[in-house]
Amino acid sequence: MFDTVKFGKAISTLRKNADMTQNEVADRLNLTRQAVSKYERGESFPDISVLVMMSDLYGITLDKLIGYGGATNGESEILKSVANGDQNVVADNIVDIVNLAPLLKPSVLTKLSTGFESKGIDISNVIALAEYLNDDSVVRLIENATFDDISDEMIEKFIPLLTKESKYAVFNRILDGDMDWHYIVALLPYADYLSSQVEAAVVEGVLPWEALDLIREYRLKQV
């Protein structure tokens, strides 16, 4: 798994071995000294496009530079593709995408995750990616997700991150029977507007009558 702290220590060593100050590196890479300092401390990670310039600056291959961060083979291939401007970047393992999500732009993550939509990403991975992906991508992933490893704790962390459209996507998966209807409890505090739709679904026989009890209990807590 790619480690920004390990990467930071490595580029700090490279700079010192090259007998350069942080200011000099910043000037060469069109960055601020503060940015270079944060990269070296592992507090942040440079834009992927900077990696190519950084490898040239220190006279090493992009492969070797990325390798300093302890990237897996899959993570390394993704980072190299993005750094080289590959518009057709793909990933073989969803875990690699999840691990790199904080380092990649939403547009890149969208391209990477699109290949998994038809396969059905487990909801745990959708939850991990939700705060980094754009809204449309999250909706599509929810619509095609599998729910084998879902838990109450996951849902409680997940729902507050979602847009209105994404919450509707979750609700529709409940109506389809892919998710336990009891998860309505987690939805209501953030999607009160679904109450009437839950009631309609009960009347139509899509949800059990017990779902109305959840609505009553929720409303009593609001009083």
Side-chain angles (χ1 to χ4, degrees):
M1 179 176 175
F2 193 84
D3 186 332
T4 55
V5 173
K6 185 183 293 185
F7 179 82
K9 288 179 179 177
I11 61 173
S12 175
T13 298
L14 287 171
R15 175 182 60 78
K16 293 170 185 175
N17 289 344
D19 197 26
M20 299 178 70
T21 66
Q22 289 183 339
N23 277 327
E24 288 175 312
V25 171
D27 288 341
R28 296 282 292 275
L29 299 179
N30 296 317
L31 301 169
T32 64
R33 187 202 63 77
Q34 290 80 2
V36 172
S37 177
K38 285 184 178 181
Y39 299 156
E40 292 188 356
R41 293 198 303 269
E43 294 177 1
S44 63
F45 187 74
D47 186 277
I48 304 297
S49 61
V50 173
L51 294 180
V52 175
M53 294 189 292
M54 193 175 285
S55 66
D56 289 341
L57 177 63
Y58 295 129
I60 59 175
T61 65
L62 186 58
D63 259 334
K64 189 169 185 178
L65 180 64
I66 291 171
Y68 286 133
T72 65
N73 289 337
E75 292 170 351
S76 180
E77 289 303 314
I78 292 171
L79 289 173
K80 283 191 297 181
S81 295
V82 176
N84 287 318
D86 184 355
Q87 298 301 309
N88 299 308
V89 57
V90 294
D92 295 323
N93 191 333
I94 187 64
V95 174
D96 291 330
I97 301 176
V98 171
N99 290 341
L100 293 178
L103 311 180
L104 301 175
K105 292 181 179 180
S107 58
V108 174
L109 285 175
T110 296
K111 288 181 180 179
L112 289 168
S113 61
T114 296
F116 290 89
E117 287 176 11
S118 60
K119 302 175 186 177
I121 301 179
D122 188 86
I123 191 63
S124 61
N125 289 317
V126 179
I127 291 171
L129 290 170
E131 65 178 299
Y132 305 107
L133 282 166
N134 60 48
D135 298 340
D136 290 342
S137 296
V138 173
V139 171
R140 288 198 302 273
L141 290 179
I142 292 172
E143 290 173 344
N144 294 284
T146 59
F147 294 83
D148 299 332
D149 299 321
I150 197 169
S151 68
D152 292 344
E153 185 179 1
M154 284 183 187
I155 286 295
E156 288 172 4
K157 290 180 179 179
F158 184 42
I159 297 301
L161 299 174
L162 301 180
T163 62
K164 187 173 183 178
E165 291 74 16
S166 298
K167 293 182 183 103
Y168 268 118
V170 170
F171 183 61
N172 286 332
R173 296 304 299 267
I174 292 174
L175 296 182
D176 290 341
D178 297 319
M179 293 177 65
D180 191 301
W181 59 270
H182 290 89
Y183 287 125
I184 291 170
V185 173
L187 270 174
L188 288 176
Y190 305 97
D192 184 80
Y193 48 84
L194 290 175
S195 296
S196 59
Q197 296 190 41
V198 171
E199 293 169 342
V202 169
V203 172
E204 294 171 6
V206 177
L207 293 174
W209 284 99
E210 289 84 353
L212 294 180
D213 293 333
L214 300 182
I215 299 293
R216 294 190 192 98
E217 291 172 10
Y218 167 71
R219 288 175 175 167
L220 285 173
K221 290 178 181 179
Q222 307 310 303
V223 176

